[in-house]
Amino acid sequence: MRSVIRVFSYLRHYPGLATSQLCCAVGMTLAVFIFPNATGHVIDHIIPNPEKHGEFLRWIALAAVGFLAKDGLNSLRIFINNIFEQKVIYDIRSDLYSKIQRLPLRWFDTRRTGDIMTRVVEDVTNMERVLIDGIEQGLVAALQVLGVGAFLFYLNPTVAAWATLPVPLLAISAAIYSTKGRDRYRNQRDASSDLNALLHDNISGIRQIKAYAAETEELDRFNRFSDQLRRANLRIMKWWALYSPGMSFLRMTGYVLVLCFGGYAAMKGELSQGDLVKFLLFLSLFYEPIDRLNSLNQMVLSGKAAADRVFQILDSESEKNAIEGTKLPAKIQGRVVFDAVSFSYQDQPTLNEVSLEVQPGQTIALVGPTGAGKTTVLSLLARFYETTSGTITLDGHDIAGLSKESLRDNLAYVTQEAFLFNGTVRENLLLSKRDATDEQLWTALEASHAAHFVRELPKQLDTNVGERGVKLSGGEKQRLSIARALLKNAPILLLDEATASVDSQTERLIQDALDRLMENRTAFVIAHRLSTIRNADRIYVLDQGRVIEQGTHDELLALHGKYAELCKKSFLGQEPEQIA
Ligand code: ADP
């Protein structure tokens, strides 16, 4: 119920629309009374007196006006409701996306992309059902039940009591169905999410699936998840197939009771024939909205299951100090110190008392086997994660107290796999400097040796690069991501060198671009190329989350330790004469 109330709390921003809708609903409910009253009057007072011909036409006209008013107001109400509901849905989606952007990376580590997408797209739409049907139908239906119910008792309390006898049974059945139905709807939303997550994963990895000829296995896996959704849906439908006709039968007993006790009262002369017909007409106006409320119950259940999933995201804890926190001065020097920093993603420690230091303008290279914790060092400096113990300082400021926005404004991160968004070259570059002019873009592209190929693209800066930049080669993507970092012109550079091999000409261009990028900046480089390592001011060798050796290339080779061993293994093919 809390989620439903929370969904409704979004409505308070639009009091004007809510009130107009309410007025239309009340007007409609009043208009509903006109036809049965006119019918009763015609049967009892006009049909027995044919001379009242003029009056007859007036009552017929009144009945028609009643329907015109009802449907006219209904049209207006639907119109207002659509605007209202779309505004609210927009607000919820916007809140949700804004929240998702503020969630820490740790949150994303444990979520599937397809599941998050299902929540933002499908679940918000399902919540919308609570709004459309909750307000639009629920309000009108509830008003009509109350209004017509009261009128039935006014017409004839005894017959009305018999007529409404099934109502408590209907209410109890609806309550049982709602309570028991919660799990069914939750399962259905989860099954839909699982299917979307699998689909998203498989489509992202379609090249791998084709390369390993795993289509049949993946189809089986897809069908398994699809079957879960089928069964979850069937479970809901099966119960509905029992519940809906059952409720209809209960409602119909009300009519039978009126026919019985109303007919009996009419025979005794306690109720006129007109009043009996009027009563039956009103009874249909009483039970018809109950039927709508019943269908609504199903939608509210489904909407509630969806709302729970949406609110789970909205209630997750946001990143700390995203905007708040100390701001760095406009110009920083770029001295970074890691002091006994430890960190773990889950239970196992990933970094263990790592200490390292880099002076302004220096480059340090992080080397070590895969899984040693090199990327984690960069992630902690960017505060994608918070350290478990130890401190990281930037120009003497503990970064834990800094505003993340201010910290990240001073960092440029070039990841190993150059990620480009599905947009134009220009849009991808502007990500790092929103107000960059075309001239600045071209300067950055020239410096990163990307200008040449961008000029050859069909629409140059306005060429779409495709999802994840699929329309560009690996080397081109790398150079664009270097251009993006150059454009940002941040004093600290975090660079995870790409390992994917490119031809030697491209390799030279990339190396040259990287050298320019590192010029006059404090640089942390996860180095894979010997030339980068040799040029670094200091090399830190990491193994199993610890710094095990540090020094310059020559110093470390002289140690004949892990570094020398790594060099022999990794770089023999590159420049053998330079390995001691
Ligand atoms: P490197 O960059 O040296 O290859 P990483 O810093 O990426 O190493 O990873 C260090 C360890 O942390 C590895 O054992 C890896 O499996 C683990 N790890 C990395 N990222 C995550 C994550 N997001 N969640 C859980 N464990 C992770």
Side-chain angles (χ1 to χ4, degrees):
M1 195 60 200
R2 276 221 341 261
S3 320
V4 179
I5 292 170
R6 257 178 98 175
V7 173
F8 278 88
S9 75
Y10 273 90
L11 313 184
R12 67 172 191 277
H13 303 299
Y14 304 101
L17 288 172
T19 318
S20 322
Q21 203 172 330
L22 193 68
C23 291
C24 287
V26 173
M28 263 184 76
T29 311
L30 293 176
V32 152
F33 283 74
I34 298 175
F35 181 73
N37 273 317
T39 310
H41 185 84
V42 167
I43 293 175
D44 278 350
H45 302 290
I46 299 181
I47 294 179
N49 304 301
E51 71 281 3
K52 292 189 175 172
H53 184 69
E55 211 183 307
F56 177 56
L57 286 181
R58 272 210 305 279
W59 280 97
I60 300 294
L62 183 67
V65 167
F67 283 124
L68 187 68
K70 175 180 157 284
D71 292 323
L73 285 169
N74 198 19
S75 169
L76 185 62
R77 185 180 54 82
I78 294 171
F79 187 69
I80 297 171
N81 182 263
N82 289 344
I83 299 172
F84 188 20
E85 157 223 315
Q86 289 303 322
K87 275 183 189 283
V88 173
I89 292 305
Y90 172 90
D91 289 351
I92 298 176
R93 278 225 174 94
S94 173
D95 276 5
L96 194 59
Y97 186 68
S98 151
K99 177 73 190 193
I100 288 173
Q101 287 202 314
R102 283 182 283 117
L103 288 169
L105 275 185
R106 217 179 251 284
W107 187 87
F108 291 92
D109 287 347
T110 52
R111 297 296 190 294
R112 298 160 304 165
T113 313
D115 176 56
I116 301 174
M117 286 169 61
T118 311
R119 290 176 198 237
V120 178
V121 182
E122 278 183 28
D123 288 336
V124 171
T125 314
N126 266 322
M127 272 170 83
E128 180 184 9
R129 289 265 159 84
V130 178
L131 295 172
I132 313 173
D133 302 304
I135 304 172
E136 192 179 18
Q137 297 180 19
L139 188 66
V140 182
L143 277 175
Q144 192 168 324
V145 170
L146 290 176
V148 175
F151 195 70
L152 286 178
F153 276 91
Y154 165 76
L155 276 180
N156 189 313
T158 321
V159 183
W162 285 112
T164 53
L165 200 63
V167 171
L169 283 176
L170 286 167
I172 293 168
S173 310
I176 295 173
Y177 179 79
S178 311
T179 321
K180 299 265 179 206
R182 239 171 257 157
D183 282 347
R184 291 195 285 273
Y185 284 93
R186 201 173 302 138
N187 283 346
Q188 191 242 16
R189 295 310 314 142
D190 289 346
S192 168
S193 224
D194 288 345
L195 186 66
N196 280 341
L198 180 83
L199 191 61
H200 177 271
D201 216 29
N202 281 11
I203 290 177
S204 308
I206 192 72
R207 283 172 183 72
Q208 280 68 24
I209 292 178
K210 283 185 186 294
Y212 289 102
E215 287 94 341
T216 317
E217 289 78 0
E218 288 308 319
L219 175 63
D220 286 348
R221 211 150 74 97
F222 180 85
N223 284 344
R224 262 203 318 280
F225 279 76
S226 186
D227 192 49
Q228 272 176 20
L229 180 58
R230 180 184 66 88
R231 272 190 273 170
N233 277 329
L234 271 181
R235 230 177 116 213
I236 290 176
M237 289 168 185
K238 190 177 73 186
W239 282 102
W240 182 248
L242 284 174
Y243 172 74
S244 181
M247 296 293 266
S248 168
F249 175 73
L250 280 179
R251 282 198 308 277
M252 291 311 147
T253 54
Y255 289 89
V256 176
L257 288 170
V258 170
L259 188 63
C260 173
F261 292 97
Y264 188 61
M267 279 187 255
K268 285 205 301 186
E270 290 166 9
L271 192 70
S272 74
Q273 286 179 19
D275 276 348
L276 181 61
V277 172
K278 195 154 95 175
F279 206 96
L280 280 166
L281 284 174
F282 270 113
L283 196 62
S284 66
L285 290 177
F286 178 75
Y287 278 121
E288 175 262 329
I290 289 187
D291 186 30
R292 271 187 282 141
L293 284 173
N294 231 350
S295 317
L296 185 66
N297 186 14
Q298 153 127 318
M299 283 163 194
V300 169
L301 277 177
S302 159
K304 190 189 162 307
D308 284 345
R309 287 161 46 85
V310 169
F311 288 127
Q312 244 173 25
I313 296 188
L314 286 175
D315 292 340
S316 301
E317 202 177 329
S318 300
E319 271 190 301
K320 288 195 192 76
N321 277 354
I323 312 279
E324 328 71 63
T326 322
K327 298 237 179 317
L328 283 167
K331 199 151 174 52
I332 63 157
Q333 308 245 296
R335 179 169 182 271
V336 179
V337 179
F338 275 60
D339 184 15
V341 170
S342 298
F343 172 75
S344 38
Y345 286 104
Q346 276 131 20
D347 307 331
Q348 298 285 331
T350 306
L351 291 185
N352 223 317
E353 308 242 316
V354 167
S355 293
L356 42 89
E357 189 170 340
V358 52
Q359 298 301 333
Q362 276 191 346
T363 296
I364 64 159
L366 302 173
V367 295
T370 315
K374 304 179 295 291
T375 311
T376 308
V377 168
L378 302 195
S379 300
L380 291 183
L381 180 52
R383 277 188 63 203
F384 291 152
Y385 302 91
E386 306 289 338
T387 57
T388 320
S389 65
T391 52
I392 305 173
T393 55
L394 171 57
D395 285 358
H397 302 277
D398 184 347
I399 65 165
L402 294 177
S403 118
K404 280 187 180 150
E405 194 178 54
S406 164
L407 170 70
R408 290 173 188 163
D409 275 347
N410 285 287
L411 306 177
Y413 196 168
V414 180
T415 48
Q416 191 175 81
E417 206 182 323
F419 190 96
L420 297 181
F421 291 93
N422 187 6
T424 61
V425 173
R426 187 198 308 278
E427 283 163 351
N428 270 289
L429 292 177
L430 289 181
L431 193 69
S432 64
K433 187 169 161 44
R434 314 248 165 235
D435 55 352
T437 60
D438 274 15
E439 204 185 332
Q440 287 170 320
L441 296 186
W442 283 112
T443 311
L445 288 170
E446 291 286 356
S448 62
H449 295 294
H452 178 67
F453 82 81
V454 173
R455 246 180 237 118
E456 310 251 293
L457 292 173
K459 291 190 192 162
Q460 303 199 337
L461 284 175
D462 294 313
T463 311
N464 190 290
V465 297
E467 209 168 42
R468 283 169 284 123
V470 284
K471 295 183 191 163
L472 300 177
S473 75
E476 288 169 344
K477 279 192 276 187
Q478 278 178 31
R479 279 176 282 163
L480 276 191
S481 74
I482 295 171
R484 186 155 69 183
L486 274 168
L487 203 59
K488 184 163 183 188
N489 198 18
I492 297 174
L493 171 69
L494 311 182
L495 169 63
D496 194 348
E497 268 189 341
T499 45
S501 51
V502 284
D503 61 86
S504 54
Q505 156 80 2
T506 312
E507 169 86 34
R508 260 197 303 280
L509 292 179
I510 292 175
Q511 191 56 52
D512 191 55
L514 286 177
D515 288 345
R516 286 191 196 169
L517 185 58
M518 283 186 264
E519 252 168 40
N520 305 323
R521 286 176 225 278
T522 306
F524 280 72
V525 186
I526 298 178
H528 300 293
R529 294 186 180 88
L530 186 58
S531 53
T532 320
I533 302 176
R534 284 174 58 90
N535 290 338
D537 295 288
R538 197 160 190 81
I539 301 161
Y540 286 87
V541 184
L542 274 101
D543 194 19
Q544 297 187 3
R546 290 176 190 277
V547 176
I548 54 164
E549 289 170 18
Q550 52 176 299
T552 62
H553 176 69
D554 294 333
E555 284 166 10
L556 289 178
L557 280 183
L559 276 180
H560 294 293
K562 186 84 178 175
Y563 181 76
E565 187 193 318
L566 274 174
C567 272
K568 279 212 181 75
K569 266 202 233 145
S570 321
F571 307 124
L572 276 175
Q574 287 189 18
E575 295 165 72
E577 73 286 355
Q578 289 174 355
I579 314 276

